[in-house]
Amino acid sequence: MGCTPSESLLASTLECFYDQSCLDLIRRYTNCPNSSVPLSINGSRFLQNTTIDQLAHDLFLEQWSTQVDYPSYYEHCSPSVCSYTRIERFNVLYTITIIVGLQGGLTIALKWICPKLVRIVSKIYHNRKKQANSVRPSSHVMTNTITIRPETTTSLSVRSYAKIISGVVVLSCSITCIIVFSIYYAGQNSATTNLPSTGSFSPTMSATITPSSSTSEPLCSFQFKQISTATKCLVSSLIPSIIVDLNDDGRTDLIMYCDSTKTVDVLLGTGNGTFHEVSKFPLGNHTAIRFIRTADTNNDDRLDLIVAYDVFLPPDFLHSIRYILILFGYGNGTFQTTNIQSLTLTGFLVDISVVDVNEDHNVDIVYLFLLDDYVYVRWGDGNGTFSSQLMLFTSFNSDLRQLAIADYNHDNHIDIAVMNSRSLHIHLYLSNTEGGFQTQKRIYTAFDISSFVMLIGDFDHRNQSNIILVHQWRNTGYLLYRYDNGTFTVDDQIMFNEPVELYSVIVGDLNNDKHLDIIIGGVYPYRVHGFFGNGNGYYQSQMIDSSSVDIYEIWLGIDDFNNDFCQDLIKMSVGSSTIDVLLNTCQCSTT
């Protein structure tokens, strides 16, 4: 019996469950229709009179077998930080090292202290001796003789020497204790090490934090000349805008969405940084364009137009139907308006890529939905239609934001990477030889970022694509992930010591040095920063364009718009009716 029911339970045993008659008695009193088989004591390490408390303490386990598999643990759990502790016992070499270290430390300390102690003792001794041999006049005034009376100082000298020796001993012991404690503390710090872990990360992750001003070489400031093209559209949505050579004339063209007319506008490039309008494709008054892509979906060597858009249903505009529309191209910048293919979507689209994933020479569609846990792949049939769907699971309660499709492990097969903004993990699906994908690899990025953009490209000249995550919080930096020998390693760098708004981020080679550069456009106020790479993972910053005017939204693109073999920049902003091209003069100054 106990004071509480829980105490009574813990103090009791399971002896009744080993006796058939006791079980029958319980069954009769509880009116239980099922019969029970008594427990067997054979093969158990617990006795019949073992208390419930002891059984709970032993977790009711008959046998505990441990099999440690650390790679599987990291693969499934993906811890953000792991640590290991190494305990080293004293050995002969360690003991000799400590003794030699103590001898060296004491030698240096005593070499500085002992001469000073000897001087102090010598001064005290001479002062005492001087006082003992002092000459004093006799107190007998009736005679003219002078008597010398030595004072007794033996007991005082002995006491002084004892104090000095005690002080030296205490000081030596204190120095010895400090040295031993320092050696022990240093050994403890070197024994415990924290390592970042990301499931598929290498334990020897290199992290080099280098500010953009670390290089001593002066930055060559490039000069740009702005040319503007007026449009009849008041831009209010910049996300769908893309640049591509639609008619294969070697000139970069522009496709944009005009919200005021609810049309997709095609503007062909003139070759001097300006554009002229060719065609408009109306989509209805109750539509909103999400994305525009181009690809040859029907294998006729002509680019087709893929438009993802929403149709709002009046009067309830909170509900909408999502579509992917495919308009076949004529090869001259115009598209068919009769034979149109379409796909109906079941979620709010946040990103889309049109690429031949399974390498069957038919382009496929990869897309993400808002607050969804899957990456969706629609396989292309080669005639502009798309059939069966592949769903790649990421994790529960995901918030997938961006796709990055490239060959990351240099096996000449397309891989899929997706950024999860809720867990701040990159989910990577490496392709296999059968046209499918391997089990996902999860790469943990960081925990102290407020915004990010994922980029892809060969940033370190290893002939394979890397993932760069540009992020900002208290500063602006990047994480470069490279696949090497079955795992991912990361380089970390601070690009700018202040946070830069990551409203529009693109990759190109502005200074024509065969190294990829990163261009970032921000608002409030408007700024375009160029971060020029040197191919070794370091970047230098340059202000390319700026204004004191605050804008709401900005879109940037990069290409050679005037065919001078130097990449230029194109920009558009919400509320503006012009398209601005910043022509690269290919000339720079180091002043």
Side-chain angles (χ1 to χ4, degrees):
M1 297 296 293
C3 296
T4 62
S6 60
E7 290 181 354
S8 301
L9 173 64
L10 294 176
S12 63
T13 67
L14 299 179
E15 293 178 78
C16 180
F17 294 96
Y18 290 90
D19 187 0
Q20 184 64 54
S21 61
C22 186
L23 288 174
D24 294 338
L25 185 64
I26 293 177
R27 186 162 145 262
R28 186 169 65 251
Y29 279 114
T30 58
N31 293 323
C32 179
N34 300 324
S35 61
S36 302
V37 179
L39 297 176
S40 174
I41 197 63
N42 297 329
S44 175
R45 69 185 183 94
F46 298 110
L47 301 177
Q48 292 186 17
N49 59 354
T50 304
T51 62
I52 300 293
D53 187 22
Q54 184 62 39
L55 290 172
H57 182 270
D58 294 341
L59 301 179
F60 293 87
L61 294 176
E62 294 285 355
Q63 183 180 2
W64 182 278
S65 129
T66 304
Q67 294 181 352
V68 179
D69 187 358
Y70 288 111
S72 297
Y73 166 74
Y74 293 131
E75 183 70 23
H76 289 83
C77 296
S78 299
S80 59
V81 175
C82 64
S83 65
Y84 71 90
T85 303
R86 183 180 59 195
I87 301 176
E88 294 184 350
R89 301 187 181 277
F90 283 101
N91 51 33
V92 176
L93 181 61
Y94 187 70
T95 305
I96 294 174
T97 304
I98 289 181
I99 294 175
V100 172
L102 288 174
Q103 190 270 340
L106 289 174
T107 300
I108 295 173
L110 294 178
K111 189 179 290 185
W112 180 78
I113 294 174
C114 288
K116 293 178 174 54
L117 292 177
V118 171
R119 291 194 199 96
I120 294 172
V121 173
S122 178
K123 286 183 180 180
I124 294 175
Y125 173 74
H126 286 297
N127 289 336
R128 294 292 184 183
K129 186 176 180 181
K130 195 173 185 180
Q131 292 178 5
N133 296 330
S134 61
V135 179
R136 297 185 180 181
S138 176
S139 59
H140 302 283
V141 296
M142 298 302 295
T143 63
N144 293 327
T145 61
I146 298 175
T147 61
I148 299 175
R149 297 181 180 179
E151 296 181 355
T152 304
T153 60
T154 305
S155 60
L156 293 175
S157 299
V158 171
R159 244 183 263 130
S160 299
Y161 291 145
K163 290 181 179 179
I164 293 172
I165 293 172
S166 300
V168 171
V169 171
V170 171
L171 184 61
S172 301
C173 293
S174 301
I175 293 173
T176 302
C177 292
I178 292 173
I179 294 174
V180 172
F181 177 77
S182 300
I183 294 174
Y184 175 78
Y185 183 76
Q188 288 295 103
N189 281 347
S190 63
T192 303
T193 306
N194 289 331
L195 291 176
S197 173
T198 60
S200 59
F201 260 52
S202 168
T204 57
M205 184 183 77
S206 60
T208 305
I209 309 292
T210 307
S212 59
S213 59
S214 61
T215 57
S216 59
E217 298 180 2
L219 178 62
C220 181
S221 299
F222 279 78
Q223 307 299 319
F224 294 86
K225 178 184 177 181
Q226 179 171 314
I227 295 180
S228 300
T229 301
T231 66
K232 299 177 182 179
C233 175
L234 186 64
V235 178
S236 63
S237 180
L238 298 171
I239 295 177
S241 305
I242 62 169
I243 50 176
V244 65
D245 185 5
L246 279 176
N247 52 357
D248 200 22
D249 62 350
R251 301 171 182 175
T252 304
D253 310 315
L254 173 67
I255 305 176
M256 58 182 290
Y257 172 59
C258 183
D259 188 64
S260 58
T261 59
K262 301 295 182 181
T263 58
V264 176
D265 296 355
V266 176
L267 294 87
L268 296 184
T270 61
N272 59 3
T274 61
F275 301 89
H276 63 88
E277 186 177 295
V278 173
S279 55
K280 288 178 174 286
F281 298 96
L283 294 174
N285 293 328
H286 303 302
T287 58
I289 300 293
R290 297 299 175 191
F291 298 96
I292 298 176
R293 299 290 186 262
T294 58
D296 183 9
T297 61
N298 56 353
N299 291 328
D300 62 351
D301 295 327
R302 299 171 182 175
L303 288 179
D304 307 319
L305 189 65
I306 298 99
V307 180
Y309 67 102
D310 297 343
V311 177
F312 300 102
L313 303 177
D316 186 5
F317 286 96
L318 295 178
H319 295 85
S320 61
I321 303 177
R322 283 94 185 192
Y323 295 100
I324 294 179
L325 204 65
I326 301 171
L327 290 80
F328 297 122
Y330 287 115
N332 57 359
T334 61
F335 302 92
Q336 300 180 23
T337 57
T338 55
N339 184 21
I340 298 177
Q341 303 291 333
S342 64
L343 294 174
T344 303
L345 303 179
T346 58
F348 186 86
L349 202 64
V350 294
D351 200 3
I352 181 174
S353 293
V354 183
V355 63
D356 184 7
V357 176
N358 55 357
E359 300 171 10
D360 61 351
H361 304 292
N362 299 323
V363 294
D364 312 305
I365 298 180
V366 186
Y367 52 92
L368 306 173
F369 288 142
L370 181 66
L371 300 177
D372 197 275
D373 301 334
Y374 291 89
V375 179
Y376 297 91
V377 181
R378 285 287 187 98
W379 305 115
D381 297 328
N383 57 2
T385 60
F386 298 86
S387 56
S388 58
Q389 176 177 275
L390 173 66
M391 299 170 58
L392 300 175
F393 178 74
T394 56
S395 63
F396 292 107
N397 297 320
S398 294
D399 189 6
L400 308 179
R401 289 292 179 176
Q402 190 178 355
L403 284 166
I405 300 179
D407 179 14
Y408 297 112
N409 56 351
H410 197 48
D411 63 351
N412 297 321
H413 297 297
I414 297 297
D415 310 312
I416 298 177
V418 58
M419 181 65 190
N420 190 344
S421 64
R422 179 163 292 173
S423 65
L424 293 179
H425 277 76
I426 296 175
H427 303 267
L428 182 66
Y429 302 89
L430 297 176
S431 60
N432 55 32
T433 57
E434 300 175 356
F437 295 93
Q438 305 175 20
T439 303
Q440 66 164 304
K441 296 180 180 294
R442 297 184 183 182
I443 307 172
Y444 180 71
T445 57
F447 64 91
D448 57 350
I449 60 178
S450 58
S451 63
F452 59 84
V453 174
M454 189 166 56
L455 308 171
I456 56 175
D458 184 9
F459 291 90
D460 53 6
H461 298 286
R462 298 191 179 189
N463 296 322
Q464 69 183 55
S465 296
N466 309 127
I467 301 175
I468 274 192
L469 189 75
V470 181
H471 60 88
Q472 64 98 349
W473 185 41
R474 295 178 179 175
N475 48 43
T476 303
Y478 82 87
L479 299 166
L480 185 147
Y481 300 95
R482 67 172 62 89
Y483 188 85
D484 190 16
N485 295 327
T487 186
F488 275 86
T489 57
V490 61
D491 289 339
D492 188 5
Q493 182 192 343
I494 295 176
M495 301 170 62
F496 206 70
N497 289 323
E498 296 180 1
V500 176
E501 274 193 313
L502 307 177
Y503 209 95
S504 182
V505 185
I506 55 177
V507 173
D509 183 12
L510 279 180
N511 52 0
N512 208 19
D513 62 351
K514 310 303 180 184
H515 305 312
L516 289 180
D517 310 317
I518 300 174
I519 300 93
I520 301 176
V523 295
Y524 303 116
Y526 161 70
R527 296 284 188 272
V528 176
H529 299 269
F531 296 92
F532 295 87
N534 62 358
N536 296 322
Y538 299 106
Y539 289 84
Q540 289 183 316
S541 63
Q542 174 189 338
M543 184 73 72
I544 295 177
D545 194 25
S546 64
S547 173
S548 59
V549 178
D550 292 339
I551 60 177
Y552 176 71
E553 186 179 349
I554 184 176
W555 172 83
L556 293 176
I558 185 170
D559 209 317
D560 184 7
F561 292 96
N562 56 353
N563 296 326
D564 62 350
F565 303 102
C566 286
Q567 289 193 327
D568 312 306
L569 294 176
I570 183 173
K571 65 172 183 176
M572 290 190 294
S573 59
V574 165
S576 173
S577 59
T578 61
I579 302 169
D580 300 322
V581 174
L582 301 177
L583 293 178
N584 193 346
T585 61
C586 300
Q587 297 177 356
C588 66
S589 173
T590 57
T591 57

